[in-house]
Amino acid sequence: AKAVNGLFYFLGGIVNTSEEPEVHLKYIQAATTLQQWPEVERVCRDSTVYEPEAVKAFLIESELKDPRPLIHVCDRFGFVEELTEYLHKRHM
């Protein structure tokens, strides 16, 4: 958990200015692991850099209790049908 913590804080310092999709994905993954939900939601909502397909796949695999980050990604990038299917399957 210490490595994830370090990664989260390191990437947190650069994610807002980074143009590297992998930085944004790794930050979302680290924030999810550490249950930093406001950060997961913020980056999913505000970032224009991450690869939508990769982030969507990660969030679906993570089965988050709060689907808001996934809703932001799916709404912004046209994955509404997949989102609807996911939410229905999870009884949300």
Side-chain angles (χ1 to χ4, degrees):
K2 259 189 177 159
V4 176
N5 224 351
L7 187 63
F8 174 74
Y9 286 105
F10 171 74
L11 294 174
I14 63 172
V15 73
N16 293 332
T17 57
S18 173
E19 293 295 317
E20 195 58 50
E22 194 66 18
V23 167
H24 290 248
L25 175 61
K26 293 292 182 199
Y27 185 71
I28 290 167
Q29 291 170 333
T32 299
T33 301
L34 297 171
Q35 299 182 1
Q36 296 289 324
W37 308 126
E39 278 303 287
V40 176
E41 185 176 355
R42 181 186 71 79
V43 175
C44 288
R45 181 188 63 232
D46 299 343
S47 171
T48 57
V49 179
Y50 63 75
E51 211 294 299
E53 202 53 67
V55 172
K56 176 194 67 162
F58 169 74
L59 293 172
I60 285 174
E61 284 172 26
S62 298
E63 297 185 347
L64 305 178
K65 286 184 176 88
D66 182 350
R68 280 181 290 194
L70 182 63
I71 290 169
H72 287 300
V73 173
C74 291
D75 184 49
R76 288 177 65 197
F77 298 99
F79 303 127
V80 176
E81 201 171 299
E82 287 170 83
L83 173 66
T84 306
E85 196 176 296
Y86 172 81
L87 294 175
H88 180 72
K89 238 187 269 183
R90 300 266 339 265
H91 306 289
M92 296 180 131

